[in-house]
Amino acid sequence: MKISKRLLKIIDFIEKDEVVFDVGSDHALLPSFLVYHNICFKTYAADNKEGPLLKAKETIDKYNLHDKVIPVLSDGLENIKDDVDVIVIAGMGQYTAQKILENKDLTKYKKIIVQVNRDMNLMRKFISDNNYTILNEAVVYEDYYYEILVFNTDYHQNYSDLEIKYGPFNLKNKNQVFLEYLKFNINKYEMILKKHNSEDLNNEVACVKEIIKKYF
Ligand SMILES: C[S@@+](CC[C@H](N)C(=O)[O-])C[C@H]1O[C@@H](n2cnc3c(N)ncnc32)[C@H](O)[C@@H]1O
């Protein structure tokens, strides 16, 4: 089964036999891979639209995963099942992902894995404001830098502004892909600065350079 580096990185955070509810599953590749490779015995492929659910059913048919990968029509967590351990939200905008998580009782889930296409800092702010705990983070490159974050609802004091912006584990883990991501951002900002000077952007470049010096 062919699956992207991005989805594989999310799978790294899932442990054997956890029951996964994949919100916005579309093609159901992630929940299907988990069952196909015997990482999980049961997963849910949830989506709020019939079209993606049809694609999910095609994948389930193709790999003969009936009764193990279960398609669910669900707007966010509306129809989540009682036996779920882990929620995955991937490939969506930050606003949509946050709306799905906002004002929900997430206490009974072992972890929630989120990959939004940009603005992960806003997701970390949401987590910090709710005093949730970030358990791990990763950055993966696949024609684009994708950030992945794992959290649960255990109490954690508010994260610092630096942690919210860049991620406490990204800073701690000394991950080489994160380092490349920071350098990529410096280049991007410096290109912009060549055309338009901006104090904010200059400060941002200085801040990222300082992070590299301090953490790598
Ligand atoms: C770009 S796809 C991502 C597919 C897969 N998760 C991935 O990362 O490759 C986004 C999917 O999220 C679904 N979606 C958007 N809002 C949703 C919501 N509120 N509840 C459930 N699914 C939603 C869309 O229908 C679409 O199938």
Side-chain angles (χ1 to χ4, degrees):
M1 182 181 301
K2 232 179 143 197
I3 193 167
S4 66
K5 252 170 100 173
R6 175 181 60 88
L7 292 180
L8 273 178
K9 199 63 173 173
I10 293 172
I11 285 168
D12 276 353
F13 292 118
I14 296 166
E15 284 155 57
K16 179 112 181 93
D17 291 342
E18 286 179 333
V19 176
V20 172
F21 191 81
D22 183 27
V23 186
S25 195
D26 196 4
H27 34 62
L29 284 177
L30 179 132
S32 298
F33 186 97
L34 286 165
V35 171
Y36 187 82
H37 289 280
N38 289 316
I39 300 165
C40 303
F41 60 90
K42 181 183 185 184
T43 57
Y44 295 98
D47 210 285
N48 66 346
K49 295 174 204 77
E50 293 287 358
L53 274 186
L54 279 176
K55 282 198 259 170
K57 285 174 189 161
E58 279 170 19
T59 306
I60 295 166
D61 283 346
K62 183 172 171 188
Y63 295 99
N64 198 17
L65 301 170
H66 309 95
D67 302 329
K68 292 181 182 148
V69 180
I70 298 154
V72 184
L73 184 63
S74 178
D75 185 1
L77 305 179
E78 204 170 66
N79 293 325
I80 194 161
K81 307 298 171 190
D82 286 341
D83 57 353
V84 171
D85 300 307
V86 178
I87 296 170
V88 172
I89 302 178
M92 285 187 202
Q94 191 277 333
Y95 179 82
T96 309
Q98 185 172 322
K99 283 281 156 221
I100 289 171
L101 294 168
E102 238 168 33
N103 304 317
K104 304 290 183 325
D105 180 8
L106 304 172
T107 49
K108 69 178 185 155
Y109 304 109
K110 273 174 79 174
K111 60 197 165 200
I112 296 127
I113 306 175
V114 183
Q115 178 269 308
V116 290
N117 293 337
R118 53 173 63 90
D119 299 329
M120 193 57 112
N121 58 320
L122 298 181
M123 185 54 72
R124 283 189 283 262
K125 172 95 170 72
F126 164 78
I127 288 168
S128 177
D129 289 347
N130 281 282
N131 293 112
Y132 296 155
T133 298
I134 298 176
L135 302 170
N136 213 338
E137 292 173 307
V139 182
V140 61
Y141 181 75
E142 192 174 39
D143 303 323
Y144 185 80
Y145 288 97
Y146 296 99
E147 284 193 62
I148 299 162
L149 174 154
V150 188
F151 76 96
N152 71 11
T153 60
D154 288 353
Y155 177 85
H156 195 286
Q157 65 192 38
N158 293 137
Y159 288 94
S160 70
D161 289 346
L162 195 74
E163 288 172 321
I164 288 173
K165 208 162 183 183
Y166 296 102
F169 283 86
N170 286 334
L171 294 169
K172 260 192 299 215
N173 283 348
K174 297 192 188 304
N175 178 304
Q176 286 308 301
V177 188
F178 178 60
L179 176 61
E180 284 165 26
Y181 178 44
L182 293 178
K183 288 179 177 170
F184 168 84
N185 280 333
I186 291 178
N187 281 340
K188 189 172 78 182
Y189 300 150
E190 284 181 340
M191 295 285 270
I192 299 170
L193 281 168
K194 273 185 194 159
K195 290 185 188 153
H196 314 275
N197 199 18
S198 145
E199 200 185 325
D200 284 352
L201 216 48
N202 267 314
N203 290 340
E204 188 62 29
V205 170
C207 175
V208 179
K209 284 183 175 170
E210 195 52 40
I211 287 172
I212 293 176
K213 226 199 267 170
K214 186 166 169 198
Y215 292 93
F216 289 91

